[in-house]
Amino acid sequence: MTLSTTVTEAAKKAGARLLAVHSPDARPAGRADMYTAVRRNDTVALDGLRAELAAARPGAGWVEEDQETTGLPPGEWWAVDAVEGNVNHVHGLAEWAVSVTLLRDGAPVLAVVHQPIGDLTYTAAHGEGAWRDGVRLHVSAKRDLDAAIVTTGQAEPGQAGTYRRIGESVTAMLGRALAVRMSVPSTFPMLLLANGQNDVFWQYGPVLSGTAAGMLLATEAGGIATRIDGSPWRPGSPDVLVAAPALHEAAVTVLSTVD
């Protein structure tokens, strides 16, 4: 069994456990209810998933919460969001998934994203393309930003300086792109980008487990991933930009107006 198959099966099993506790009628009354459900979901999803990944790659490290926005030491690391879009799950929405990425020396080399609702599985391996349930993915062929659907993601709570940049970047893009959206979680707009349905994604203050899988899927589908200024991205970078190749330079130009 290949590593990709092993990881896919582990992600699907975690997704099935989460689906069993998902209700489209869920409506938390406040933060306390939300946090209780979020913690339950993390436990349900990680029950078995971490052990299966550790067995599949015994020498790989596990990216813990305090490493999500920092550089990583050399070697292999699992960056896992066991409930990507947990806030959606606990509100009865469909946009949540199990996201698993293997990084090697700071670069994503294997990614699996399984969305239980709809039973969709996205996979990518470095140099082997991006796929959704056996169908190869390709980014958009658009060449003009004024025809592009662009999306940004919300930063983690408590990053007031980042909030200003998000607002200014949205304003800048509103003057250039066809449609501007904000999405939580980050993975889903990058899945759409890999499938040619979105054209540009950027985020300030990204969290590694929320962006690594989508970045690999998008780049293996033909996209370009860098920092917002066009320089190379690496774990710990304070921002990320992923775009269809013909739109990348234009996106860098627009976002460079944000201090």
Side-chain angles (χ1 to χ4, degrees), residues 145-160:
L145 203 55
D146 63 4
I149 298 173
V150 305
T151 310
T152 189
Q154 183 174 325
E156 290 292 290
Q159 299 186 33

Side-chain angles (χ1 to χ4, degrees), residues 57-142:
R57 213 69 169 179
W62 187 275
V63 176
E64 302 290 355
E65 186 174 353
D66 61 352
Q67 297 172 299
E68 291 277 15
T69 56
T70 67
L72 292 177
E76 291 189 338
W77 292 83
W78 291 113
V80 177
D81 195 326
V83 202
E84 170 73 337
N86 211 338
V87 69
N88 292 339
H89 184 291
V90 304
H91 282 83
L93 298 169
E95 285 192 334
W96 53 274
V98 179
S99 175
V100 180
T101 310
L102 181 67
L103 295 102
R104 182 176 300 131
D105 297 331
V109 295
L110 175 69
V112 173
V113 178
H114 176 62
Q115 186 179 359
I117 295 181
D119 192 22
L120 302 173
T121 304
Y122 298 80
T123 58
H126 179 65
E128 298 181 14
W131 306 80
R132 186 193 64 216
D133 297 318
V135 177
R136 188 153 192 168
L137 304 179
H138 301 279
V139 297
S140 167
K142 289 179 184 174

Side-chain angles (χ1 to χ4, degrees), residues 169-254:
S169 69
V170 167
T171 299
M173 279 292 188
L174 282 168
R176 293 291 306 278
L178 175 67
V180 182
R181 297 171 177 167
M182 179 174 284
S183 177
V184 177
S186 305
T187 297
F188 283 89
M190 286 190 279
L191 297 179
L192 294 175
L193 198 154
N195 199 33
Q197 295 169 294
N198 271 4
D199 306 296
V200 176
F201 173 80
W202 75 98
Q203 185 170 10
Y204 298 95
V207 172
L208 185 61
S209 63
T211 54
M215 288 175 61
L216 183 61
L217 281 152
T219 54
E220 285 296 319
I224 297 175
T226 65
R227 287 194 55 194
I228 283 176
D229 64 4
S231 62
W233 173 91
R234 59 182 58 86
S237 292
D239 50 58
V240 64
L241 169 65
V242 188
L247 300 175
H248 181 263
E249 185 177 352
V252 169
T253 298
V254 171

